[in-house]
Amino acid sequence: MAAKTVHLAVYDTFADWETGHTTAHLTQNGYTVKTVAATDAPVTTMGGVRIQPDLTLDDVNPEDSALLILTGASLWDTSDDLAPFARKARAFLDAGVPVAAICGATAGLAREGVLDHRTHTSAVSFYLAATGYKGGDHYRDEDAVTDEEGLLITAGPTEPVAFAREVFARLGVYEGEKLDAWYRLFHNSDASAFEVLES
C-alpha cells in the first residue's frame, strides 16, 4: 500500500500562506500531514503562529512518506540553518519519493545541487542564479513545474494555488477535468468550476 503520509517541513520564518491549499485538500482526501522540524522545539512562522512539530528530521524516512513539502522562509536566504532540510529533500529524491518546494526553498535546493539537472522554476531566474547553482538551463518561467521524472515540484512565492495543483496531480488527488476545475475555482474564482468538483 502506498504511503498516505505527507511530511511538511516547518521552521522559524516558515511562510504560512504557501501551503494552505495543499495541506487542506490533502487532508480532506485521505492524507495525513505530519510536520517535521530540525528539533522537537516549537517553531514560529512568518505570521507569528507557533507550531509544535510532530517529528524531527532524523525521524523521517522516505519510505514512510508520499511527499516532502518545503516552503519558503527568510532563513533560506539569511543563514545555512535550513541546509539539513535540503539534504533531506535530496535523500527523498534519491529514494524516488517526490519533493515539493516553493519560494525560498527552491534556493535551498539550488544550493544543495538538486536543481542542477532537473526542470524547475522559482520566483525569478536570477534569484536562483545568485546561489551559484549550475541548473540555469533547466529553469522554466512558469507558475509551477513538475520535472520529467515526476519527482520534483517547484513554484514561486506568488503561486500557492498552482503549487497545490501540481501536488494534487502528482498524488492523484484530483485528475483531469476535476483538477482543472479545482484550479479554476481557487485561482480564477470561477464559480462554474464548483459543479465539476461536486459531480
Side-chain angles (χ1 to χ4, degrees):
M1 173 189 254
K4 295 288 275 187
T5 299
V6 169
H7 291 95
L8 172 65
V10 295
Y11 21 73
D12 287 333
T13 72
F14 170 99
D16 311 59
W17 62 94
E18 292 177 344
T19 60
H21 289 92
T22 303
T23 55
H25 288 270
L26 287 174
T27 59
Q28 291 171 32
N29 285 277
Y31 284 86
T32 299
V33 176
K34 298 267 188 189
T35 54
V36 181
T39 71
D40 58 6
V43 299
T44 304
T45 71
M46 204 175 289
V49 176
R50 284 172 59 83
I51 297 174
Q52 179 63 55
D54 296 312
L55 302 164
T56 68
L57 272 177
D58 290 341
D59 297 327
V60 177
N61 298 305
E63 58 268 26
D64 299 324
S65 186
L67 175 74
L68 174 65
I69 302 174
L70 303 173
T71 70
S74 301
L75 288 176
W76 285 113
D77 298 318
T78 59
S79 75
D80 293 327
D81 290 357
L82 302 186
F85 291 92
R87 287 194 292 273
K88 182 64 76 170
R90 177 185 284 283
F92 266 61
L93 293 169
D94 288 348
V97 179
V99 171
I102 186 170
C103 188
T106 60
L109 295 186
R111 290 184 193 96
E112 180 64 21
V114 170
L115 305 185
D116 286 352
H117 305 289
R118 295 177 182 275
T119 303
H120 60 276
T121 192
S122 184
V124 286
S125 60
F126 56 81
Y127 171 62
L128 293 185
T131 68
Y133 87 131
K134 300 178 179 69
D137 288 346
H138 301 284
Y139 185 88
R140 300 293 178 265
D141 188 14
E142 298 176 24
D143 56 6
V145 170
T146 300
D147 75 343
E148 291 82 357
E149 292 180 88
L151 287 178
L152 180 65
I153 296 165
T154 51
T158 61
E159 297 296 342
V161 178
F163 181 69
R165 177 195 64 207
E166 297 299 302
V167 169
F168 301 156
R170 177 60 181 85
L171 297 182
V173 172
Y174 300 119
E175 298 174 313
E177 188 176 295
K178 281 201 171 182
L179 181 64
D180 177 66
W182 183 90
Y183 183 74
R184 286 189 291 112
L185 178 63
F186 287 95
H187 187 266
N188 304 334
S189 299
D190 181 353
S192 68
F194 188 76
E195 281 184 34
V196 178
L197 285 172
E198 292 299 298
S199 63

